[in-house]
């Protein structure tokens, strides 16, 4: 009986010590950012997107990601090397950001559904697909090593009962 109880205690303790990456979730509105933000200066992440002419909502979310202070989280462990995956979620907009143990943004995967397209993209669609109406949009961005490695717009067009999807790499 002692061995059974001891075995259960050891089994229960193993669940507490296994952890590779810490995970955090930030869910708030874009108008009032979370309290764990530091908006003091523009980061390399924000500077990367300066000339991309993205919608305001995307810029606001980028500011939140750049200003996020990983060190203020309860799960932050200053004496251990770890990566922290933080998910920023606001309705149809989502950014999964990966920070290192010093709080530097390493990479992000972003998806924004039904956002306004940049003028140049809309103009290109109107020119190449006359008579078609934009029905839905999705913007996907991958950021790694201080640069945008992928910026793609997936656009669903509609003309009467017909529907087609096009992809634009920017």
């Amino acid at each position: 009986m002692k061995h059974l109880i001891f075995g259960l205690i050891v089994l229960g303790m193993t669940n507490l010590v296994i952890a590779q990456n810490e995970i955090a979730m930030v869910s708030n509105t874009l108008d009032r950012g979370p309290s764990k933000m530091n908006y003091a200066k523009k980061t390399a992440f924000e500077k990367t997107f300066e000339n991309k002419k993205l919608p305001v909502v995307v810029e606001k979310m980028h500011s939140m990601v750049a200003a996020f202070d990983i060190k203020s989280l309860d799960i932050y462990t200053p004496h251990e090397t770890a990566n922290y995956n933080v998910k920023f979620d606001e309705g149809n907009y989502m950014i999964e950001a990966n920070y290192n143990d010093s709080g530097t943004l390493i990479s992000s995967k972003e998806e924004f559904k039904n956002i306004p397209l940049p003028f140049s993209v809309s103009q290109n669609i109107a020119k190449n697909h006359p008579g078609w109406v934009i029905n839905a949009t999705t913007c996907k961005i991958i950021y790694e090593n201080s640069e945008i490695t992928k910026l793609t717009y997936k656009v669903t067009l509609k003309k009467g009962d017909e529907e087609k999807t096009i992809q634009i790499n920017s």
Side-chain angles (χ1 to χ4, degrees):
M1 185 70 169
K2 289 181 186 177
H3 293 288
L4 178 64
I5 292 173
F6 181 73
L8 289 173
I9 290 172
V10 170
L11 182 65
M13 295 298 283
T14 58
N15 288 337
L16 299 175
V17 295
I18 298 174
Q20 293 295 323
N21 284 338
E22 302 294 342
I23 298 175
M25 174 86 172
V26 176
S27 191
N28 56 352
T29 64
L30 293 174
D31 294 333
R32 59 170 184 84
S35 60
K36 299 176 185 345
M37 299 295 182
N38 178 11
Y39 291 99
K41 60 180 181 173
K42 278 198 174 184
T43 63
F45 175 74
E46 288 176 295
K47 289 178 183 175
T48 303
F49 292 96
E50 276 184 333
N51 298 322
K52 293 298 178 186
K53 296 183 176 141
L54 296 169
V56 174
V57 68
V58 175
E59 291 175 0
K60 283 185 178 183
M61 286 199 67
H62 283 166
S63 294
M64 287 175 51
V65 170
F68 190 76
D69 184 10
I70 199 78
K71 295 176 183 177
S72 65
L73 291 176
D74 294 337
I75 61 171
Y76 177 71
T77 52
H79 305 297
E80 290 184 31
T81 302
N83 286 341
Y84 297 87
N85 300 313
V86 181
K87 185 175 181 180
F88 297 84
D89 218 351
E90 179 71 32
N92 288 331
Y93 316 126
M94 184 274 307
I95 298 178
E96 290 179 6
N98 187 11
Y99 299 88
N100 65 14
D101 57 336
S102 65
T104 304
L105 182 65
I106 301 169
S107 64
S108 71
K109 292 181 182 174
E110 310 171 20
E111 183 173 291
F112 305 96
K113 293 182 180 176
N114 295 320
I115 62 167
L117 296 172
F119 179 73
S120 60
V121 174
S122 297
Q123 189 177 29
N124 184 19
I125 291 171
K127 181 180 175 183
N128 294 327
H129 304 278
W132 290 83
V133 177
I134 296 173
N135 192 38
T137 61
T138 301
C139 175
K140 290 186 180 185
I141 302 171
I142 297 176
Y143 170 86
E144 297 174 317
N145 303 321
S146 299
E147 63 181 47
I148 301 169
T149 56
K150 189 174 187 180
L151 174 56
T152 305
Y153 294 99
K154 184 177 173 184
V155 182
T156 304
L157 302 174
K158 197 168 187 172
K159 185 178 191 181
D161 292 338
E162 292 182 74
E163 190 172 281
K164 67 180 177 181
T165 302
I166 60 171
Q167 186 168 315
I168 301 165
N169 297 319
S170 185

